Amino acid sequence: MSVAVPLVEHFSQGLDAPICLTWELTYACNLACRHCLSSSGRRDPAELTTAEAKAVIDELERMQVFYVNIGGGEPTIRPDFWELVDYATAHHVGVKFSTNGVRITPEVAARLAASDYVDVQISIDGATTEVNDAVRGEGSFATAVRAMENLAAAGFRGFKLSVVCTRHNIGQLDAFKAMADRYGAQLRLTRLRPSGRGADVWDELHPTAAQQRELYDWLLAHGEDVLTGDSFFHLAGYGESLPGLNLCGAGRVVCLIDPVGDVYACPFAIHDAFRAGNVRDGGGFAGVWRESELFRSLRGPQSGGACAACSAYDSCRGGCMAAKFFTGLPLDGPDPECVKGFGELQLVKVAPGSAPRPSLDHSRAVPVTLQRRRPERACDENPLSAASMVGG
C-alpha cells in the first residue's frame, strides 16, 4: 500500500510551472516607500518591450500558469499596462496586480469589477495616515483609501488590502481587518524583509520578538480569513503551523521576473546570487524555470545546518532565505527572527556593513550611472512620463 506524500513535499521538489509567479513590469514608481523590496523609483530603459512581454505571456499560457502577480514599481504607470492585462486574460493567464491606488479611478474600478480574471491588491502599511505615510510617503494613505472607495462603489468584492507588517503597525491588525471588511476586501499580510531599501530600515521597522508572538497569536485566531502566502512559516516554531505555505517556495513554486526579464528565485532576493537567467535567453522563461542550475539546487535536499538539531526545525525549516542573506547570516543558519532567539545570537557576530547589498537600486536619488545603459532622453528617467514607459 503506497503512502501519500504530503503536498508540501511535492512543492519542495519543484513543479513544472510556478504556482506563484511575480512579475515586476517596471521599476518606475510615483512613491518612494522606505521599505521597497525592489528599490523602485526610476524606470530601467532596458525593460521588456510590449512585444517581449506578450511573448512571456504566451509561454505562461503554454506552461499552464493559472495567474501572475504583477507588481513594480507602480505597474499602472506603464502605458501598455492594460494592453498586457487584456492580452494575459485573453490567453488564459489570470492577473493579480499590486498598486498604490494612484490610478484606480471610478472608471478603472468599474472596469476591474466587470472582469472575472483580474484581481487587484491595494498596498497600505498603516491603518491611520500617521503610521502609513511615515513609511509610504505623504498623501499615500488618502490615495489608497480613495482607491478602495472606488472599488467598493463599483461593486468589486474581494479585492485585496495588502499590508507589510512592521514594528509600527502590528498594533493595528484589528483595524486593518475592520478596514478590509468595511470595503468588502480581503486582508493580506506580508512579512517585512531586509530587501531593497528595506535593508536600510530593517533594524528600525522589523517587529520585535514580542510583536512576532502577538502576530502569531493573531494569525492563529484570524488566519483562515487572512492571506499570508509563505510569509510567516518561520513563526511555526512557536508550536503550531499557520494557514498558508509553510515552506520557502523560492525556485520551487515561486519566482520573480523583473522589468528587464531577469528571473530570480524569490521576489525578495533580487541579487546576482539568486539570478537564475533571463527570459530573453534562448530557452525563454520555461528554460530558466526548468533548467536553471540554481533552481535545480534549491529543489534538491537542503542542509539544515545548525538548525537541524532544533526541535522546531521541522516546523520552521530554518526560515526565510532572503531574510538570512540580506542580514549577513548563512543560508543554512537561523532566520534573523527565529522565535527561539538563535537568529539574534548570530546577528551580533555579523560585522557591520558586511551583509550583502541588492545588486541594483532604482531609487530616484541614485545616479544614472547605475542604469544598464544611458537613457536616450532625459525624460526616460521620469517615472510618470508616458514617453519614458514605452518599451524598446
Side-chain angles (χ1 to χ4, degrees):
M1 181 176 180
S2 61
V3 178
V5 178
L7 189 60
V8 70
E9 295 302 327
H10 285 296
F11 287 171
S12 69
Q13 297 166 20
L15 302 176
D16 286 340
I19 290 178
C20 184
L21 170 63
T22 297
W23 187 356
E24 295 184 341
L25 285 181
T26 182
Y27 283 126
C29 191
N30 58 305
L31 299 184
C33 300
R34 298 179 65 206
H35 59 355
C36 180
L37 67 93
S38 55
S39 300
S40 292
R42 296 184 178 197
R43 169 192 179 257
D44 191 317
E47 69 185 26
L48 298 177
T49 66
T50 302
E52 288 175 321
K54 288 182 176 180
V56 172
I57 293 170
D58 291 339
E59 273 198 276
L60 300 182
E61 181 183 21
R62 290 192 294 270
M63 295 174 71
Q64 297 184 326
V65 172
F66 298 121
Y67 77 95
V68 59
N69 292 299
I70 290 180
E74 172 52 45
T76 63
I77 285 177
R78 273 189 67 137
D80 61 357
F81 173 73
W82 290 111
E83 180 181 352
L84 293 176
V85 168
D86 289 343
Y87 189 84
T89 57
H91 287 75
H92 312 103
V93 179
V95 171
K96 177 189 295 183
F97 72 92
S98 298
T99 175
N100 56 47
V102 66
R103 292 191 170 174
I104 306 299
T105 63
E107 295 75 20
V108 168
R111 175 177 182 170
L112 290 167
S115 174
D116 293 330
Y117 301 101
V118 180
D119 196 6
V120 60
Q121 189 164 274
I122 304 296
S123 297
I124 190 168
D125 293 324
T128 59
T129 300
E130 179 183 19
V131 173
N132 179 84
D133 288 10
V135 173
R136 301 185 63 83
E138 184 177 357
S140 57
F141 182 80
T143 297
V145 169
R146 183 169 59 249
M148 289 188 284
E149 290 173 343
N150 290 339
L151 290 167
F156 194 127
R157 302 287 299 179
F159 68 88
K160 309 304 182 285
L161 174 62
S162 181
V163 176
V164 176
C165 294
T166 70
R167 187 169 302 181
H168 303 299
N169 67 21
I170 289 293
Q172 298 183 323
L173 293 174
D174 287 335
F176 284 125
K177 184 65 169 63
M179 181 184 292
D181 292 343
R182 182 163 65 251
Y183 292 111
Q186 186 173 19
L187 180 60
R188 179 178 186 267
L189 298 180
T190 301
R191 182 183 180 184
L192 174 72
R193 270 87 162 191
S195 308
R197 286 195 293 269
D200 297 325
V201 296
W202 169 257
D203 291 335
E204 173 190 347
L205 292 185
H206 83 93
T208 65
Q211 288 177 322
Q212 294 277 1
R213 182 66 199 224
E214 180 182 353
L215 172 61
Y216 172 76
D217 291 339
W218 192 91
L219 286 172
L220 281 181
H222 302 87
E224 295 296 339
D225 299 321
V226 176
L227 300 175
T228 59
D230 64 350
S231 278
F232 302 112
F233 67 92
H234 69 295
L235 297 181
Y238 282 124
E240 186 175 342
S241 294
L242 295 168
L245 179 61
N246 284 281
L247 167 79
C248 172
R252 302 177 178 94
V253 297
V254 173
C255 73
L256 167 79
I257 301 176
D258 84 349
V260 301
D262 283 336
V263 180
Y264 294 89
C266 169
F268 303 100
I270 303 177
H271 187 278
D272 287 345
F274 302 105
R275 180 184 176 277
N278 190 286
V279 301
R280 286 168 167 152
D281 296 340
F285 172 73
V288 177
W289 178 258
R290 293 168 178 165
E291 305 298 333
S292 161
E293 287 300 320
L294 172 64
F295 286 177
R296 287 179 185 273
S297 66
L298 289 172
R299 294 163 189 166
Q302 302 296 308
S303 167
C307 288
C310 177
S311 61
Y313 179 72
D314 287 341
S315 298
C316 77
R317 296 174 178 260
C320 173
M321 176 182 74
K324 289 187 276 191
F325 182 78
F326 285 118
T327 53
L329 297 179
L331 296 185
D332 63 352
D335 188 289
E337 293 179 321
C338 167
V339 301
K340 302 293 187 180
F342 297 128
E344 293 182 14
L345 295 175
Q346 293 298 315
L347 283 172
V348 299
K349 302 177 183 178
V350 178
S354 65
R357 298 290 300 172
S359 298
L360 297 171
D361 193 329
H362 296 268
S363 303
R364 287 194 290 276
V366 174
V368 174
T369 51
L370 286 187
Q371 302 291 340
R372 283 181 168 80
R373 63 175 174 80
R374 293 184 62 82
E376 296 175 1
R377 302 176 299 279
C379 66
D380 280 342
E381 298 309 314
N382 182 348
L384 289 178
S385 167
S388 74
M389 296 304 105
V390 178

